[in-house]
Amino acid sequence: MNKEYKLAPRQVALCYVAFFSVLKFINLPAVTARFAREGLWISALAVFLFDGLLAGLTLFAAGKGEDETFLDCIERAFGRPFSLFLAFLYFLFFLVKAYIPLVEQKYYVEVTLYETSPTLLTFLPFFLVCFYVAYKGLRALGRCADACVWLTLAAFAVLVSLSLSNFDPTELLPVIGVPVGDLAEGALRTSPWYLDAVSYTHLRAHETRSNL
């Protein structure tokens, strides 16, 4: 029997850079600005810091059980009923988290690709990649992360360079001009775009404990 393929720690980290970060550049800035206005960076920073704390706790918990999923550790510590309840909460969380990028991609396809070039060749590469990753599993995910991270970083560099000419730092001030309630609402309403550290609770059991 073939040994189960495990992701290298490098590939797990690159998944966050190559894939998860891209989902935050479609509608997230506009949604945050709708509630927090020019204080959107404060709302984003608050959720980002909370996500960082959650990531730290997840990494700490990851070292407590070798080759066990997060739910296996919970079941071992608190029993099966609580583990099943937490699994149901996980289901609801990832259902909401997966719904957002699907709607964003649907909107992007309808407004951009379908209106300009509604041909089979436009969508065929996307479906081929999806089928390949679904068929090959984690091995394909790790290889895609190794390759796509450079495309993601290049795209970020282009976006930043194009936006520098329109950047106006005075739009960020004054901070006191935005009520705290609006900043909190902006952070709360956009939290499903973040909280990526929760995904690691599932990836940790499929990660090697060796070097990069």
Side-chain angles (χ1 to χ4, degrees):
M1 181 180 294
N2 293 331
K3 186 178 180 180
E4 179 186 0
Y5 180 82
K6 289 184 176 293
L7 295 171
R10 178 197 73 255
Q11 293 175 320
V12 174
L14 293 183
C15 284
Y16 282 86
V17 178
F19 306 136
F20 293 169
S21 60
V22 176
L23 301 177
K24 298 173 177 57
F25 276 78
I26 302 178
N27 288 333
L28 177 59
V31 174
T32 311
R34 175 185 176 187
F35 298 102
R37 299 186 295 281
E38 66 270 18
L40 63 93
W41 65 275
I42 303 177
S43 298
L45 180 62
V47 186
F48 183 78
L49 291 177
F50 178 79
D51 205 10
L53 176 62
L54 185 61
L57 294 176
T58 304
L59 290 173
F60 174 77
K64 297 300 181 181
E66 292 287 340
D67 298 327
E68 281 187 313
T69 65
F70 177 72
L71 294 177
D72 288 337
C73 295
I74 294 298
E75 182 177 351
R76 177 166 48 84
F78 301 101
R80 184 169 178 78
F82 183 76
S83 175
L84 292 176
F85 173 72
L86 189 61
F88 178 72
L89 294 181
Y90 262 60
F91 165 75
L92 295 179
F93 172 80
F94 283 106
L95 183 66
V96 174
K97 192 169 179 61
Y99 176 76
I100 293 176
L102 287 176
V103 171
E104 288 182 334
Q105 294 302 319
K106 174 179 177 294
Y107 176 77
Y108 173 75
V109 168
E110 289 179 345
V111 174
T112 305
L113 297 180
Y114 190 76
E115 292 292 334
T116 57
S117 54
T119 64
L120 177 62
L121 294 179
T122 303
F123 301 99
L124 186 59
F126 171 77
F127 289 111
L128 289 178
V129 172
C130 289
F131 286 139
Y132 175 76
V133 173
Y135 177 73
K136 290 293 186 179
L138 291 177
R139 184 184 299 273
L141 181 64
R143 290 177 176 176
C144 286
D146 285 329
C148 292
V149 65
W150 302 109
L151 298 177
T152 301
L153 293 177
F156 285 168
V158 172
L159 288 175
V160 171
S161 62
L162 292 177
S163 62
L164 286 177
S165 60
N166 297 323
F167 175 67
D168 183 6
T170 60
E171 293 292 334
L172 302 175
L173 302 172
V175 175
I176 58 176
V178 181
V180 177
D182 292 347
L183 297 177
E185 184 178 10
L188 181 62
R189 293 293 187 95
T190 58
S191 58
W193 273 273
Y194 299 93
L195 304 180
D196 294 323
V198 179
S199 302
Y200 183 70
T201 58
H202 294 284
L203 291 174
R204 63 175 296 277
H206 305 285
E207 178 187 13
T208 63
R209 298 296 187 263
S210 60
N211 53 17
L212 298 180

